[in-house]
Amino acid sequence: MAGVSIKRIWWCLIVALLFFVQQTYADTATLEVKGAVRKSLSFSSNDLKNLPQLYISGIVRVEEKAAWNDPEKEGGTNRYEGVLLRDILDKAGMKFVRKWEPGVLIRVKGSENREAVFSFGEIFYSSTGRSILVALKKDHNAINMDGGIGALVVATDVRAGRYINGVREILVERVDIPMIAYDDKKKNIIRPPTSSFIIIDHRTGKTKALNHADLAALSQVNLRNALMAGDCEGFNGVYGYEGPLLRSVLEWFGLTWADRDYGRYVVVSSEDGFCATFSLGELFNSRLDNNIIIAHKKNGAFLEPKGGFATSVVGEDSMGGRSVKRIHKIEIY
Ligand SMILES: Nc1nc2c(c(=O)[nH]1)N[C@H]1C(S)=C(S)[C@@H](COP(=O)(O)O)O[C@H]1N2
Ligand SMILES: [Mo]
């Protein structure tokens, strides 16, 4: 009788010790938020537990595949609970505001050197932002990842290419394009409409110009209710826009689904420096992929002169922040 009790006590001690070691180890991991933020922050998993928790159920993990005709590999349907990436970013605060903010991008880094890029717009304007979790629990059990915190899950993505285990760092950047639009306004400079734009892939060095005929020849998408509003110009209106998907424009250029790299992003810019980022993840791996267009028509009529011949429009966005008028360049970084 006494022997069994001592054995039990030993077991309890060992289990308690293991639990303690695991807890202390888990708590040493931090998630750093840095770059173009007002305040760099470091979160432990306990810090994250004190932020508002959200759950998303029925997340189906579908693995990336090499070719379209490869069979789909499904890794289960789960409930994830944790903190919105957006809420973590809000704690640090964005350094860039107003006309500068659509040019921002967010890199999320985790274990095994994994990294995924998100555009400012997909996190803060589109409903994708309400679906990106730094998950702390999977099916009600804590997710413990060596050296990092939880797992990044993107409920609106098609496949798990942007899921990241053991999140370690959130790095905020802005593209290096000077903003001239406010100066233009002050000096009453009105830029002429464009009649073509250039597409540049900075990795391969390839460039190709696209004109109105090229744009009109691509498969057209009709957005019936795009909201154009912004905190710098105020409410503008709800309009119908027509044009090809930005994805179709990239495919015409030669960048296809097979080239998708979720560490890359696209920048659409105007000569006045106004620009917006789009992640390759949102363009090639999102269920909300059918509403990011390069419009050449607004309410049935051509855009010129103010819109140039082409303006980016995102039907999913809650405001017109990514509506770049008089597109001059589309760059792939
Ligand atoms: N090229 C270019 N496009 C732009 C901007 C700009 O300054 N330059 N401003 C954006 C912002 S912040 C808003 S609110 C709307 C303003 O549209 P409006 O100039 O027709 O009022 O255009 C967007 N597209
Ligand atoms: Mo705006």
Side-chain angles (χ1 to χ4, degrees), residues 230-233:
D231 69 349
C232 32
E233 317 282 342

Side-chain angles (χ1 to χ4, degrees), residues 257-318:
W257 178 82
D259 308 311
R260 72 205 183 285
D261 171 343
Y262 304 136
R264 303 192 76 190
Y265 58 95
V266 174
V267 182
V268 177
S269 63
S270 167
E271 262 181 310
D272 65 7
F274 188 81
C275 58
T277 59
F278 298 87
S279 67
L280 284 203
E282 77 179 307
L283 294 170
F284 287 100
N285 189 38
S286 175
R287 283 194 296 278
L288 309 172
D289 69 350
N290 58 354
N291 69 103
I292 302 171
I293 69 169
I294 301 301
H296 63 123
K297 280 183 183 169
K298 177 182 175 182
N299 287 350
F302 292 119
L303 298 168
E304 288 133 311
K306 199 173 179 180
F309 80 101
T311 289
S312 53
V313 178
V314 188
E316 175 59 37
D317 285 2
S318 57

Side-chain angles (χ1 to χ4, degrees), residues 98-99 102 125 182 229-234 274 319-321:
R98 294 172 62 86
K99 280 191 199 278
Y125 301 149
Y182 285 120
D231 69 349
C232 32
E233 317 282 342
F274 188 81
M319 51 137 73

Side-chain angles (χ1 to χ4, degrees), residues 57 68 83 122 129 133 163 169 226 229 242 255 263-264 267 274 320:
S57 55
W68 259 121
V83 185
E122 73 178 315
L133 279 183
Y163 287 27
E169 189 184 320
E242 214 180 307
L255 188 92
R264 303 192 76 190
V267 182
F274 188 81

Side-chain angles (χ1 to χ4, degrees), residues 6-285:
I6 287 165
K7 225 177 180 177
R8 270 209 186 148
I9 288 165
W10 268 113
W11 269 116
C12 286
L13 277 173
I14 288 165
V15 167
L17 188 69
L18 282 176
F19 185 73
F20 175 76
V21 166
Q22 189 219 353
Q23 280 302 104
T24 3
Y25 183 70
D27 282 343
T28 56
T30 57
L31 166 51
E32 312 290 326
V33 185
K34 52 186 165 188
V37 288
R38 273 189 272 134
K39 194 168 53 176
S40 294
L41 293 174
S42 177
F43 293 92
S44 67
S45 58
N46 272 330
D47 296 333
L48 291 180
K49 279 176 204 152
N50 290 322
L51 291 181
Q53 306 292 300
L54 184 102
Y55 80 86
I56 306 175
S57 55
I59 294 186
V60 182
R61 188 188 169 98
V62 184
E63 298 305 329
E64 290 290 329
K65 54 182 188 175
W68 259 121
N69 48 5
D70 284 351
E72 300 292 356
K73 271 183 285 167
E74 184 257 340
T77 304
N78 303 99
R79 175 194 193 273
Y80 286 93
E81 185 173 341
V83 185
L84 285 175
L85 175 59
R86 186 197 61 187
D87 289 350
I88 297 172
L89 286 165
D90 275 341
K91 282 278 166 199
M94 291 292 107
K95 186 178 149 196
F96 291 104
V97 295
R98 294 172 62 86
K99 280 191 199 278
W100 281 270
E101 73 181 24
V104 167
L105 56 123
I106 293 102
R107 294 184 194 276
V108 181
K109 304 179 188 188
S111 55
E112 295 152 12
N113 282 324
R114 298 214 348 117
E115 182 178 328
V117 168
F118 296 88
S119 65
F120 180 90
E122 73 178 315
I123 294 176
F124 290 99
Y125 301 149
S126 111
S127 55
T128 304
R130 276 94 77 184
S131 294
I132 308 172
L133 279 183
V134 174
L136 303 171
K137 285 182 183 172
K138 178 180 176 181
D139 297 335
H140 303 280
N141 302 313
I143 304 173
N144 290 315
M145 294 289 177
D146 283 359
I149 292 180
L152 186 86
V153 295
V154 188
T156 45
D157 274 4
V158 180
R159 295 187 183 80
R162 294 203 287 183
Y163 287 27
I164 286 177
N165 286 339
V167 185
R168 295 173 182 192
E169 189 184 320
I170 298 169
L171 178 63
V172 181
E173 295 175 14
R174 186 184 181 274
V175 297
D176 190 16
I177 298 177
M179 180 63 62
I180 316 167
Y182 285 120
D183 288 340
D184 278 8
K185 209 169 186 182
K186 240 186 266 164
K187 294 176 191 155
N188 244 323
I189 295 171
I190 294 160
R191 305 243 166 203
T194 50
S195 58
S196 75
F197 59 74
I198 188 154
I199 308 177
I200 307 166
D201 183 335
H202 287 288
R203 193 170 278 179
T204 62
K206 181 180 175 179
T207 67
K208 203 171 165 186
L210 181 147
N211 63 28
H212 195 187
D214 299 323
L215 204 62
L218 293 172
S219 170
Q220 304 289 300
V221 171
N222 222 318
L223 300 181
R224 282 189 175 73
N225 292 301
L227 179 69
M228 289 297 129
D231 69 349
C232 32
E233 317 282 342
F235 181 76
N236 187 313
V238 178
Y239 307 102
Y241 282 97
E242 214 180 307
L245 293 176
L246 172 52
R247 175 178 177 158
S248 302
V249 170
L250 294 173
E251 285 166 346
W252 172 87
F253 169 77
L255 188 92
T256 66
W257 178 82
D259 308 311
R260 72 205 183 285
D261 171 343
Y262 304 136
R264 303 192 76 190
Y265 58 95
V266 174
V267 182
V268 177
S269 63
S270 167
E271 262 181 310
D272 65 7
F274 188 81
C275 58
T277 59
F278 298 87
S279 67
L280 284 203
E282 77 179 307
L283 294 170
F284 287 100
N285 189 38

